């Protein structure tokens, strides 16, 4: 596979300049300056084994595939509030005040462009910094113009977009989403089934920009935009960053299944007090999130194949908005399992996590891997990036892969494949034959 080298600057367009985006930007600057480590990032810290175990070849991923240099990333953003990156980070309350001062200038220099926003899609927010007019088609045109201007202003050679904005209300794929033609007609007729995130995604793809979706919204997960990505030769990926409770779920559930331990129930509840929590306090936005969180266990446990172990599993997920906690979420899980002869046991998890600290390295990896995919000529859905998502986008002919360890193997094998290295199957007969 021919991989184009990453020459020049990579422009990064973040939709939404909230907790995740500002934590990513702050961390990026700290890592660049060597003040803080890039913990949690596979592209920066991960290694990849090549060849046989006897060869001792395990380079860093960033030395193995040609990724963009962190110094070459230039950030642009949209939001529906006018706060610059510093003010937004301060409000998000993730980064401590001393660290905020260290990267103040870098954060202040990120000024959002006016967002495309309609309250029908995020009921809990009242955006004050939004584009005028009321034509979806004109908004798409305006976004396209801004993308081109940003590329020139940033002197960027290539661009990548990441949706880090609020979770929109639940929408189902419908006829208007079925083809590029019906979608464009829908933009022109202001079809209510076309949400702002779809307008950003359409604008990005029309401008030759790959896009990753960090929220559970439908966005690019519709035939029209999948086809557009294919037609334009662009990679797309999503949905919903896999952090916190779902990350734990996709680490633990494969283990239970591997040891054939049964599950009666898995009750998950959270308290969080950031803006994301406030948005998810609306039942319609929560429904989008809930669908994303609930799917995970079914696909990992395969109750149809293992009815005695997982056929009667009761799975419940709750998110409670609790302002005093800010971004420092607390997630509890009560897991009722059973083993030998059906004897019951319980596992309790109390994860005091920091949502945006877990999400920021995912944003970085997605930017670098999407750019790599773009330079490698990989188009359409990038299933190898499932590792990063709660609801991985996948070909319509297969079910999604949720097991974190299979996802990692898939990701690393894709990198090996890109570089013409042998895939690792873990068979290992060669050490004995
Ligand atoms: N660990 C995590 O933090 C995590 C995990 C999975 C998914 N997510 C998702 O990532 C997204 C961002 O999370 P966050 O904690 O940064 O939320 P946040 O509320 O702090 O930030 C979202 C930002 O998007 C802006 N926004 C909303 N609609 C917009 C629009 N149409 N155009 C431009 N800007 C818009 C909001 O004003 C806000 O500043 C959310 O959808 C969240 O569900 C986060």
């Amino acid at each position: 596979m021919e991989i184009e080298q990453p020459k020049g600057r990579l422009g990064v367009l973040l939709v939404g300049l909230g907790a995740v985006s500002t934590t990513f930007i702050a961390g990026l600057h700290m890592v660049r300056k060597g003040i803080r480590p890039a913990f949690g990032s596979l592209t920066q810290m991960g290694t990849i084994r090549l060849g046989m175990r006897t060869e001792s070849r395990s380079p860093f991923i960033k030395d193995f595939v040609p990724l963009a240099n962190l110094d070459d990333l230039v950030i642009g953003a949209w939001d529906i509030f006018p706060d610059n990156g510093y003010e937004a980070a301060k409000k998000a309350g993730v980064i401590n005040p001393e660290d905020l001062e260290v990267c103040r200038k870098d954060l202040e220099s990120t000024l959002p462009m006016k967002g495309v926003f309609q309250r029908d899609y995020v009921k809990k927010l009242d955006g004050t910094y939004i584009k005028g007019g009321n034509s979806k088609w004109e908004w798409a045109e305006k976004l396209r113009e801004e993308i081109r201007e940003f590329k020139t202003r940033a002197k960027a050679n290539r661009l990548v977009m990441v949706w880090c904005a609020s979770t929109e209300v639940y929408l189902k794929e419908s006829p208007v989403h079925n083809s590029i033609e019906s979608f464009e007609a829908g933009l022109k007729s202001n079809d209510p089934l076309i949400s702002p995130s779809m307008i950003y995604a359409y604008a990005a793809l029309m401008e030759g920009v790959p896009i990753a979706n960090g929220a559970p919204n439908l966005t690019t997960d519709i035939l029209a935009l999948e086809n557009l990505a294919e037609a334009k030769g662009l990679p797309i990926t999503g949905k919903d960053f896999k952090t916190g409770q779902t990350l734990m779920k996709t680490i633990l559930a494969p283990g239970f299944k591997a040891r054939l331990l049964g599950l009666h129930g898995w009750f998950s509840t959270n308290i969080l007090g950031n803006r994301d929590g406030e948005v998810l306090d609306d039942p319609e936005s929560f429904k989008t999130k809930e669908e994303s969180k609930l799917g995970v266990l079914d696909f990992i446990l395969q109750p149809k194949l293992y009815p005695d172990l997982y056929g009667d599993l009761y799975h419940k997920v709750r998110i409670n908005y609790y302002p005093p906690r800010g971004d420092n979420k607390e997630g509890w899980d009560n897991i009722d399992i059973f083993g030998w002869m059906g004897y019951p046991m319980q596992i309790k998890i109390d994860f005091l996590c920091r949502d945006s600290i877990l999400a920021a390295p995912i944003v970085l990896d997605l930017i670098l891997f999407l750019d790599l995919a773009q330079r490698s000529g990989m188009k359409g859905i990038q299933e190898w990036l499932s590792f990063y998502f709660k609801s991985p986008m996948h070909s319509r002919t297969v079910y999604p892969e949720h097991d974190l360890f299979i996802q990692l193997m898939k990701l690393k094998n894709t990198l090996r494949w890109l570089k013409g290295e042998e895939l690792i199957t873990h068979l290992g007969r060669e050490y004995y034959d």
Side-chain angles (χ1 to χ4, degrees):
M1 175 81 64
E2 196 64 40
I3 311 177
E4 207 181 290
Q5 290 303 305
K7 289 201 198 95
R9 294 178 171 189
L10 173 63
V12 176
L13 283 162
L14 302 172
V15 189
L17 190 58
V20 172
S21 291
T22 54
T23 306
F24 158 68
I25 299 170
L28 175 68
H29 291 298
M30 301 280 243
V31 171
R32 273 173 175 168
K33 288 178 188 146
I35 302 172
R36 288 294 167 93
F39 291 154
S41 160
L42 192 63
T43 58
Q44 304 307 301
M45 312 275 314
T47 61
I48 181 162
R49 184 191 123 198
L50 304 174
M52 293 173 66
R53 272 179 275 164
T54 44
E55 292 177 44
S56 299
R57 280 199 297 149
S58 290
F60 280 103
I61 286 174
K62 63 180 176 188
D63 297 329
F64 176 57
V65 283
L67 300 176
N69 192 307
L70 297 194
D71 289 330
D72 292 331
L73 267 51
V74 190
I75 312 289
W78 288 274
D79 205 284
I80 56 169
F81 296 102
D83 300 337
N84 67 39
Y86 174 75
E87 289 158 348
K90 219 165 144 184
K91 283 189 188 158
V94 180
I95 316 276
N96 69 41
E98 302 88 77
D99 284 344
L100 261 188
E101 286 316 306
V102 175
C103 43
R104 180 171 187 152
K105 266 205 195 129
D106 299 308
L107 281 166
E108 271 175 350
S109 66
T110 308
L111 301 166
M113 298 175 267
K114 282 186 178 170
V116 168
F117 182 74
Q118 290 180 295
R119 252 197 116 191
D120 301 345
Y121 302 91
V122 182
K123 303 227 157 95
K124 289 276 176 176
L125 296 184
D126 222 343
T128 56
Y129 192 64
I130 58 182
K131 295 198 194 313
N134 56 9
S135 155
K136 294 189 177 181
W137 177 257
E138 279 170 26
W139 284 331
E141 290 288 303
K142 181 72 188 151
L143 287 172
R144 291 184 61 180
E145 196 182 307
E146 286 171 344
I147 292 171
R148 291 194 292 270
E149 282 168 6
F150 170 74
K151 191 170 181 189
T152 310
R153 200 166 57 240
K155 299 190 178 70
N157 165 289
R158 319 168 306 283
L159 302 177
V160 167
M161 181 185 279
V162 187
W163 176 272
C164 294
S166 310
T167 301
E168 295 174 334
V169 298
Y170 184 70
L171 291 178
K172 265 207 158 109
E173 199 171 4
S174 309
V176 66
H177 304 132
N178 278 353
S179 68
I180 304 174
E181 293 72 28
S182 59
F183 186 85
E184 288 182 338
L187 280 176
K188 287 177 182 157
S189 65
N190 277 343
D191 193 305
L193 293 172
I194 297 184
S195 69
S197 68
M198 292 175 191
I199 305 177
Y200 284 97
Y202 170 80
L205 295 174
M206 290 301 286
E207 290 304 316
V209 182
I211 173 164
N213 180 13
N217 329 310
L218 210 48
T219 316
T220 45
D221 210 357
I222 54 175
L223 266 179
L225 296 184
E226 274 175 45
N227 292 344
L228 186 58
E230 286 279 345
K232 298 267 179 192
L234 295 166
I236 51 173
T237 189
K239 311 176 298 205
D240 206 3
F241 301 133
K242 176 148 86 174
T243 57
Q245 204 162 46
T246 310
L247 173 66
M248 296 307 283
K249 232 169 232 179
T250 62
I251 291 172
L252 289 173
F256 298 147
K257 185 176 156 206
R259 298 299 287 257
L260 299 164
L261 294 168
L263 274 168
H264 284 307
W266 197 317
F267 177 76
S268 305
T269 188
N270 296 273
I271 51 172
L272 81 161
N274 56 15
R275 189 180 278 160
D276 187 30
E278 189 179 354
V279 167
L280 295 174
D281 210 29
D282 168 51
E284 288 187 66
S285 284
F286 177 68
K287 168 118 178 88
T288 313
K289 196 60 140 186
E290 190 183 27
E291 290 278 320
S292 172
K293 282 176 166 266
L294 282 178
V296 169
L297 283 187
D298 248 19
F299 286 112
I300 293 178
L301 299 173
Q302 298 176 294
K304 283 203 177 105
L305 280 182
Y306 300 96
D308 295 342
L309 293 171
Y310 309 117
D312 284 327
L313 170 66
Y314 186 88
H315 185 198
K316 186 91 192 160
V317 179
R318 301 301 312 152
I319 297 179
N320 306 285
Y321 178 51
Y322 179 63
R325 274 305 168 88
D327 197 66
N328 294 348
K329 182 161 95 175
E330 183 159 6
W332 290 273
D333 285 272
N334 171 73
I335 314 165
D336 286 293
I337 69 169
F338 55 90
W340 188 241
M341 297 189 293
Y343 275 62
M345 295 168 263
Q346 287 185 14
I347 299 173
K348 314 273 181 191
I349 301 169
D350 183 2
F351 189 8
L352 290 106
C353 79
R354 292 172 190 266
D355 249 6
S356 305
I357 293 295
L358 293 169
I362 297 185
V363 175
L364 175 61
D365 285 0
L366 286 172
I367 290 166
L368 298 182
F369 280 146
L370 262 190
D371 174 50
L372 173 74
Q374 182 180 28
R375 283 181 285 106
S376 309
M378 294 165 83
K379 57 183 181 176
I381 296 170
Q382 303 297 303
E383 204 194 316
W384 62 288
L385 297 175
S386 297
F387 180 65
Y388 295 106
F389 296 107
K390 285 194 197 67
S391 293
M393 285 174 69
H394 56 94
S395 152
R396 286 162 196 256
T397 57
V398 290
Y399 61 83
E401 191 49 76
H402 282 279
D403 177 328
L404 189 81
F405 306 100
I406 297 178
Q407 291 172 333
L408 181 61
M409 212 185 302
K410 188 190 275 288
L411 189 157
K412 288 192 173 179
N413 266 340
T414 304
L415 298 179
R416 292 182 187 107
W417 169 77
L418 271 176
K419 291 280 291 180
E421 286 282 343
E422 223 167 281
L423 305 190
I424 291 191
T425 62
H426 299 288
L427 177 65
R429 284 303 313 163
E430 58 275 30
Y431 301 112
Y432 302 93
D433 287 341

